[in-house]
Amino acid sequence: MTKVGDPGISVTARRPAGFKPQFEAVGIFLEAGDKILIVHRQTDRPHPNLWGVPGGGIEPGESKADAAVRELAEETGISLTPQFLFSHYVTFPGERFVFHYFAATLTEPQVTTRNPAEHQDHRWVTLSEALELPLIGGLDAGLRQRYPHLAI
């Protein structure tokens, strides 16, 4: 798993002085009981072969809330209005962006669709199962903030 602290990765909840993001994105913790939905990135997409939460870039003129609704529907086929949680300021080698986290809750895991152009797989997993997978860099910080009881 790629973690905060790995070379070239920086994640903070406060905007660093002089931070100029190249873009903004959203991610959604889709929760059902003790499970969350995670998606496995395609090999030809940014951050290939890594696991993350459903989400994506905010389009010009789109609010972060509207982007969360759109991305959740596009990537899972589920139409819900996620609630905003928090934002992180992220620096990867060659990338600076703001990542806005949202959450939506289902009563139980549902069959979801998958966008094959973006993801090779998706799974409902427990938090401990998610931590066993190779995650997109910085997601560990989002998991720690959303689920503070986790020992990451």
Side-chain angles (χ1 to χ4, degrees), residues 82-133:
Q83 298 301 304
F84 175 72
L85 298 172
F86 51 85
S87 298
H88 281 170
Y89 298 87
V90 183
T91 303
F92 286 164
E95 281 186 313
R96 286 176 318 285
F97 59 97
V98 183
F99 198 80
H100 306 284
Y101 284 97
F102 287 76
T105 304
L106 300 171
T107 55
E108 60 186 40
Q110 294 182 9
V111 174
T112 61
T113 59
R114 173 179 63 85
N115 180 342
E118 294 189 23
H119 304 111
Q120 5 179 347
D121 195 7
H122 61 283
R123 296 183 196 164
W124 287 98
V125 297
T126 63
L127 296 172
S128 61
E129 290 168 337
L131 294 174
E132 296 297 318
L133 297 168

Side-chain angles (χ1 to χ4, degrees), residues 42-56:
Q42 280 291 7
T43 58
D44 63 346
R45 301 295 294 179
H47 312 285
N49 274 329
L50 297 176
W51 291 85
V53 294

Side-chain angles (χ1 to χ4, degrees), residues 9-62:
I9 297 176
S10 169
V11 177
T12 180
R14 291 192 178 160
R15 183 184 195 100
F19 185 85
K20 293 183 176 135
Q22 296 159 301
F23 61 94
E24 295 189 34
V26 298
I28 302 96
F29 291 114
L30 185 57
E31 305 163 337
D34 68 341
K35 297 193 175 197
I36 62 170
L37 183 71
I38 57 170
V39 293
H40 192 196
R41 306 277 302 169
Q42 280 291 7
T43 58
D44 63 346
R45 301 295 294 179
H47 312 285
N49 274 329
L50 297 176
W51 291 85
V53 294
I58 298 174
E59 296 177 356
E62 184 177 43

